[in-house]
Each structure stands twice: as C-alpha cells, then as structure tokens.
C-alpha cells in the first residue's frame, strides 16, 4: 500500500471513530457558540457577538462567516468541515516531519499514529473550535523549517515564508507560535556565525510580525479589541483562583500513555549521546521555552498544551523504536487506551480510570520489553 494511501485510510478510519465516539460532547462544548457568534459578527450577520475576544484571531472565522453570508449555511457546519480538513493535514505533515527526522517510513508512520491517537487531538480536533487549525500551522511551520534547512540552497525568502506561516497561524490561534519557537531554537544550534544567526532571526520574525501587526491594528480600529487585552482580561479573571495540584493532570493528558515512550526516548538520547543532533536539541529547547512561556496564558488545559506535541512525538518515536517489531502493536494499544479511557471519563465520569489505564500500559510495556529481551537471549544462544 502506498504511503499516502495508508495515511489517508488510517486518518479516515479515525475520523469516523472519533466523530461517532465523541459526538455526545461536540454539541455541549462551552466555547463553540462564541466561534459561531464571532463568525457572524465579522460579516455583520444576525446573531453575531464577540465573546472571549474571538475576533482577535479572525482567520478561523472567515470561511464559516463568509459561507453563511453568501449561502445562508450555519457556520457550525463549515467549522466542522474546516476542522476535518485540518485533521487530515495535521496527520500528513506530522508524518512528513518524522520522515525528515528519521528518513524511514516506519518511524514516520508510527509518529503520525502516536500524534493522532493522543486524546486532545482525538476529541477536540472535530469540535467547533480553533485548536486543530493552530496545531496544523505549528506543525507546518516545523515542517518547513526542517525541509528548508535540509536543503543547501536555503534563501532569505524561505525564512520570510516560515515566519509568515507562523504569523498566519497565530491569527487562527496563539498556539501556532510553537512553530516559531522551534524555528528560533533550530537556528540557534546551527554552526553559523552569530551575525548570520541574527540575520536569520530578524527575517523570520519580520515574516511573523507583519500579518500579526496588521491584524492587531485592524481589529483594534474596527472592534476595539486586541490579543493583548484578551490576555490581560483572562489573567484578571483567574487571578483569585487557587492553584490546584490536580491541574497538573492536564499536562499528563497531552499524550497520556505515550509519556512512557517519551521517557524511554529521553533515556536513549542521553545514553547514546544523541544530543549532538540539531533536531533533538531544538525539540528539547522548544519544550523548555514553551514551559517557561506557558504561564503567560493563564489557562492550563490539555488542548492548549497539545501545541508542544510535535516535540514530544519526535522523542517518543525514538522511544518506541527500541521495541523493534513490537513497536506498532504498542502504539495501537496505547492509542486504544488513550481513547477509550477518555471516552469513559467524559461519558461516565468514574474515578480511577486514568490510573488504571496508565498502570495497564506500563504492564504491557514491561511484558513486551521482557519478550524482546527473551528473543534476543535465544538468538544469542543459537548463534
């Protein structure tokens, strides 16, 4: 089976499963009505309103609002269709990223499968939200960075394009900035003169800031709102909230069971001294910078934190490849546990499901590791 066909078939099966499995949540999402209201307000339609400053990230609203304006189709259907497209694009370009990193179809496909079976992606990518759009632009920016830097004839207009794509993504949702952070991290580790690095930084940032600044002044002029006001308002609204240790669970929910693969990958990198690899160092630095900057946005929820998933996947793939021919079954089992535990939690709200799921996957990993070790031992005896 050709790679593109295999990816498309896999994603199509998952779209159908996720759509049916989480349909009961789709129409109860608190944020969804504000996106519909924002799309209508952008085009002056009845029922338009601006709640949670949706108009400060206008690009996700344009197509749903425009289609209702010209064809009277409810924006919710266009939002969902738009997000299905981004669902597929995320899958394809995560594969491409991992192909550039590992130069092998197997780890690239496993990386794609890990990404699309994480619970934030499985649930929220098919909701009336802007998250999957921002994830795509973050992923696409990372892909362009790796693609262009793998070519010897990289030009300044490539840097400008990388920044511009990140800027466009930022106007869908702020999470897309993860691509820009990765690009800066990657340039930082290149063996180039410092002045050359500064030049690259400046051109990328120029590409990013131009669409952001233009949008900022247009939204401020016409709607008297801005992303800065949105952040300040959000911080004030949660200023009196007590920090809850349980909120740290949201970090675990980013990739759920696959954190074990990430840890195995990190251990492998340290043991084999792979930190000389530009991509690995850039991924780890991106995670560090994101962790430092995350408190700027006061809401600690899994679908926002999922913006760092491409970095986690690169390391997790290194972990899963340690299991050789057991890698695919382990990813599939991890994905099933991720999705089914999430379904049970959201549908029935029982206690202890996440812990049971985590322990189950850990036991599965140990069993497969023992089987792999046993096979190696038998092979050595035969030889």
């Amino acid at each position: 089976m050709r790679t593109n066909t295999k990816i498309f078939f896999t994603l199509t099966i998952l779209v159908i499963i996720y759509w049916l499995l989480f349909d009961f949540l789709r129409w109860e999402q608190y944020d969804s009505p504000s996106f519909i209201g924002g799309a209508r307000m952008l085009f002056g339609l009845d029922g338009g309103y601006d709640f949670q400053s949706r108009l400060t990230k206008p690009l996700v609203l344009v197509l749903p609002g425009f289609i209702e304006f010209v064809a009277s189709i409810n924006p919710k259907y266009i939002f969902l269709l738009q997000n299905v497209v981004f669902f597929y694009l995320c899958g394809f370009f995560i594969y491409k990223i991992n192909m550039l990193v590992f130069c092998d179809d197997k780890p690239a496909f496993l990386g794609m499968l890990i990404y699309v079976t994480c619970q934030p992606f499985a649930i929220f990518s098919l909701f009336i939200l802007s998250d999957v759009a921002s994830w795509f632009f973050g992923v696409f920016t990372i892909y362009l960075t790796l693609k262009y830097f793998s070519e010897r004839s990289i030009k300044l207009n490539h840097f400008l394009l990388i920044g511009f794509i990140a800027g466009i993504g930022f106007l869908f949702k702020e999470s897309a900035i993860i691509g820009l952070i990765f690009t800066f991290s990657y340039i930082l580790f290149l063996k180039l003169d410092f002045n050359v690095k500064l030049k690259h930084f400046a051109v990328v940032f120029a590409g990013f800031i131009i669409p952001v600044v233009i949008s900022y002044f247009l939204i401020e002029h016409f709607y008297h709102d801005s992303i800065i006001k949105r952040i300040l308002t959000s911080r004030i609204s949660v200023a009196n909230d007590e920090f809850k240790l349980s909120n740290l669970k949201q970090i675990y929910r980013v990739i759920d069971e696959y954190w074990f693969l990430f840890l195995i990958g990190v251990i492998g990198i340290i043991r084999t001294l792979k930190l000389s690899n530009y991509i690995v160092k850039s991924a780890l630095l991106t995670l560090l910078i994101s962790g430092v900057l995350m408190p700027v946005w006061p809401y600690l929820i899994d679908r926002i934190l999922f913006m760092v998933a491409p970095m986690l996947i690169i390391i997790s793939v290194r972990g899963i490849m340690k299991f050789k021919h057991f890698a695919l079954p382990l990813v599939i089992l991890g994905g099933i546990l991720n999705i089914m535990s999430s379904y049970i939690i959201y549908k029935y709200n029982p206690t202890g499901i996440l812990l049971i799921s985590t322990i189950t996957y850990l036991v599965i990993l140990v069993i497969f590791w023992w089987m792999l070790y046993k096979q190696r031992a038998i092979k050595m005896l035969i030889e």
Side-chain angles (χ1 to χ4, degrees), residues 216-266:
Y216 175 89
F217 283 110
L218 287 174
I219 297 301
E220 178 70 44
H221 176 74
F222 288 106
Y223 301 103
H224 309 292
D225 201 357
S226 71
I227 185 60
I228 296 175
K229 291 179 181 179
R230 168 62 177 156
I231 292 174
L232 293 176
T233 301
S234 299
R235 294 188 66 83
I236 292 171
S237 67
V238 299
N240 296 323
D241 288 353
E242 294 181 1
F243 174 78
K244 297 179 180 178
L245 192 61
S246 60
N247 286 341
L248 294 178
K249 183 172 66 176
Q250 294 295 313
I251 297 175
Y252 182 77
R253 297 311 319 266
V254 174
I255 58 173
D256 279 323
E257 324 304 348
Y258 297 134
W259 278 110
F260 292 113
L261 304 182
F262 175 80
L263 292 175
I264 294 171
V266 169

Side-chain angles (χ1 to χ4, degrees), residues 48-65:
Y49 64 97
D50 188 22
F51 178 63
Q52 295 182 323
S53 299
R54 296 301 177 207
L55 292 175
T56 61
K57 284 87 65 180
L59 295 189
V60 75
L61 310 174
V62 171
L63 187 60

Side-chain angles (χ1 to χ4, degrees), residues 162-293:
I162 290 170
F164 182 76
I165 293 296
I168 293 297
F170 191 82
L171 298 179
F172 277 81
K173 190 172 182 176
E174 304 91 333
S175 304
I177 202 171
I178 192 68
L180 188 71
I181 297 173
F182 177 83
T183 302
F184 284 169
S185 299
Y186 194 89
I187 293 173
L188 184 65
F189 287 117
L190 291 176
K191 294 180 180 179
L192 298 173
D193 183 79
F194 183 70
N195 290 332
V196 175
K197 290 182 181 180
L198 284 180
K199 183 178 180 181
H200 293 343
F201 284 144
V203 176
V204 171
F205 186 72
F208 169 78
I209 205 66
I210 289 172
V212 172
V213 168
I214 291 173
S215 174
Y216 175 89
F217 283 110
L218 287 174
I219 297 301
E220 178 70 44
H221 176 74
F222 288 106
Y223 301 103
H224 309 292
D225 201 357
S226 71
I227 185 60
I228 296 175
K229 291 179 181 179
R230 168 62 177 156
I231 292 174
L232 293 176
T233 301
S234 299
R235 294 188 66 83
I236 292 171
S237 67
V238 299
N240 296 323
D241 288 353
E242 294 181 1
F243 174 78
K244 297 179 180 178
L245 192 61
S246 60
N247 286 341
L248 294 178
K249 183 172 66 176
Q250 294 295 313
I251 297 175
Y252 182 77
R253 297 311 319 266
V254 174
I255 58 173
D256 279 323
E257 324 304 348
Y258 297 134
W259 278 110
F260 292 113
L261 304 182
F262 175 80
L263 292 175
I264 294 171
V266 169
I267 293 170
I269 289 167
I270 294 172
R271 290 183 61 185
T272 57
L273 299 177
K274 291 291 186 179
L275 279 173
S276 59
N277 185 292
Y278 291 148
I279 300 173
V280 170
K281 289 192 291 188
S282 302
L284 292 174
L285 181 59
T286 302
L287 288 172
L288 178 62
I289 294 172
S290 301
V292 172
L293 295 179

Side-chain angles (χ1 to χ4, degrees), residues 79-367:
F79 271 111
L80 292 172
L81 178 62
Q82 184 173 262
N83 286 350
V84 168
V85 172
F86 283 125
F87 182 103
Y88 279 91
L89 289 175
C90 282
F92 273 101
F93 280 98
I94 279 289
Y95 171 85
K96 288 179 176 293
I97 286 173
N98 282 282
M99 194 65 186
L100 288 170
V101 174
F102 299 102
C103 302
D104 189 341
D105 173 71
K106 182 179 179 180
F109 182 77
L110 289 174
M112 185 277 295
L113 200 56
I114 291 172
Y115 185 88
V116 299
T117 53
C118 292
Q119 74 90 18
F121 188 84
I123 298 175
F124 300 111
S125 60
L126 300 178
F127 278 20
I128 303 172
L129 298 169
S130 59
D131 295 273
V132 67
S134 70
W135 297 336
F136 162 70
F137 281 98
V139 165
F140 191 51
T141 304
I142 294 167
Y143 164 73
L144 288 179
T145 300
L146 295 178
K147 178 180 183 295
Y148 288 144
F149 277 103
S150 67
E151 300 172 356
R152 295 183 178 181
S153 58
I154 186 168
K155 301 175 183 178
L156 285 181
N157 63 316
H158 291 153
F159 293 107
L160 197 65
L161 177 62
I162 290 170
F164 182 76
I165 293 296
I168 293 297
F170 191 82
L171 298 179
F172 277 81
K173 190 172 182 176
E174 304 91 333
S175 304
I177 202 171
I178 192 68
L180 188 71
I181 297 173
F182 177 83
T183 302
F184 284 169
S185 299
Y186 194 89
I187 293 173
L188 184 65
F189 287 117
L190 291 176
K191 294 180 180 179
L192 298 173
D193 183 79
F194 183 70
N195 290 332
V196 175
K197 290 182 181 180
L198 284 180
K199 183 178 180 181
H200 293 343
F201 284 144
V203 176
V204 171
F205 186 72
F208 169 78
I209 205 66
I210 289 172
V212 172
V213 168
I214 291 173
S215 174
Y216 175 89
F217 283 110
L218 287 174
I219 297 301
E220 178 70 44
H221 176 74
F222 288 106
Y223 301 103
H224 309 292
D225 201 357
S226 71
I227 185 60
I228 296 175
K229 291 179 181 179
R230 168 62 177 156
I231 292 174
L232 293 176
T233 301
S234 299
R235 294 188 66 83
I236 292 171
S237 67
V238 299
N240 296 323
D241 288 353
E242 294 181 1
F243 174 78
K244 297 179 180 178
L245 192 61
S246 60
N247 286 341
L248 294 178
K249 183 172 66 176
Q250 294 295 313
I251 297 175
Y252 182 77
R253 297 311 319 266
V254 174
I255 58 173
D256 279 323
E257 324 304 348
Y258 297 134
W259 278 110
F260 292 113
L261 304 182
F262 175 80
L263 292 175
I264 294 171
V266 169
I267 293 170
I269 289 167
I270 294 172
R271 290 183 61 185
T272 57
L273 299 177
K274 291 291 186 179
L275 279 173
S276 59
N277 185 292
Y278 291 148
I279 300 173
V280 170
K281 289 192 291 188
S282 302
L284 292 174
L285 181 59
T286 302
L287 288 172
L288 178 62
I289 294 172
S290 301
V292 172
L293 295 179
M294 199 66 73
V296 172
W297 186 248
Y299 300 109
L300 188 70
I301 56 176
D302 50 6
R303 62 187 173 91
I304 292 177
L305 297 172
F306 190 71
M307 71 179 193
V308 305
M311 310 299 105
L312 300 175
I313 301 306
I314 290 172
I315 309 299
S316 297
V317 171
R318 290 180 175 272
I320 195 62
M321 293 308 294
K322 300 289 184 183
F323 289 89
K324 307 294 183 181
H325 51 282
F326 294 129
L328 181 59
L330 280 172
V331 170
I332 293 173
L333 288 171
I336 291 172
L337 285 171
N338 286 345
I339 305 311
M340 292 313 299
S341 62
S342 298
Y343 173 79
I344 294 170
I345 288 169
Y346 282 108
K347 184 73 172 179
Y348 303 107
N349 196 29
T351 58
I353 292 298
L354 200 58
L355 179 60
I356 293 171
S357 176
T358 301
I359 293 174
T360 301
Y361 194 63
L362 180 58
V363 170
I364 291 172
L365 280 176
V366 171
I367 291 172

